Amino acid sequence: MVETVYCVHCGALAKHPVTKIINGQSLIFCCGGCVQVYELMHEEELGTGQSGTEATMIPTPEAARPGAAQLDPSGPSQTIAFQVAGMTCANCVATVERHLHTVPGVLDARVILETERATVTLIPERVSMADLKRAVERAGYTFIP
């Protein structure tokens, strides 16, 4: 008999459970994104459903950052798409988007959970596929070109 387990953070069915020991307790999560969000929330001593400025801040996209005036978004930008494996919930999507937005030269990043597809608008001279791969992997997911 297969035991049904649910994520301690978001409550989603954990199809591929991730177990993490936090404060001496073995906790089960649905994905790496929920582990990260859970840890951030508990670092700030916040419970699920609460918010705080540190825990909810999402980096500003490159085009809106101070000093970005020299970046001409109407200039030579390029939109590329790639697959991101391992996402199971909206927290995963937000985590991947947040990490992609931190890459210098990324103008916009959108991720769709259902298709496991990321679409990134970028300045080609400033961003490489290796930069995007590092950002996705830093978020805890698998980059598939």
Side-chain angles (χ1 to χ4, degrees):
M1 182 172 153
V2 176
E3 182 182 349
T4 303
V5 293
Y6 295 91
C7 179
V8 71
H9 175 67
C10 73
L13 176 65
K15 294 177 186 173
H16 306 286
V18 176
T19 303
K20 176 92 182 210
I21 297 175
I22 299 175
N23 295 329
Q25 289 185 309
S26 180
L27 302 175
I28 297 174
F29 298 88
C30 65
C31 63
C34 280
V35 172
Q36 288 181 333
V37 172
Y38 185 90
E39 288 176 328
L40 284 172
M41 290 174 71
H42 288 278
E43 251 177 44
E44 298 296 322
E45 296 182 20
L46 299 173
T48 302
Q50 296 177 336
S51 63
T53 53
E54 256 69 58
T56 59
M57 286 178 59
I58 295 177
T60 306
E62 178 78 18
R65 289 187 186 137
Q70 69 270 18
L71 299 177
D72 181 7
S74 65
S77 66
Q78 177 182 5
T79 300
I80 62 167
F82 52 88
Q83 298 297 119
V84 178
M87 299 182 299
T88 60
C89 67
N91 283 328
C92 298
V93 169
T95 299
V96 173
E97 285 181 348
R98 185 176 69 247
H99 278 81
L100 288 169
H101 278 125
T102 65
V103 176
V106 168
L107 301 172
D108 191 34
R110 302 283 178 220
V111 178
I112 299 173
L113 176 64
E114 295 76 17
T115 60
E116 294 187 325
R117 186 175 177 90
T119 304
V120 179
T121 303
L122 51 86
I123 299 169
E125 298 82 37
R126 295 193 58 199
V127 183
S128 69
M129 290 299 270
D131 296 329
L132 299 176
K133 181 178 188 221
R134 272 192 298 279
V136 169
E137 289 175 350
R138 196 173 57 243
Y141 301 93
T142 304
F143 175 93
I144 303 169

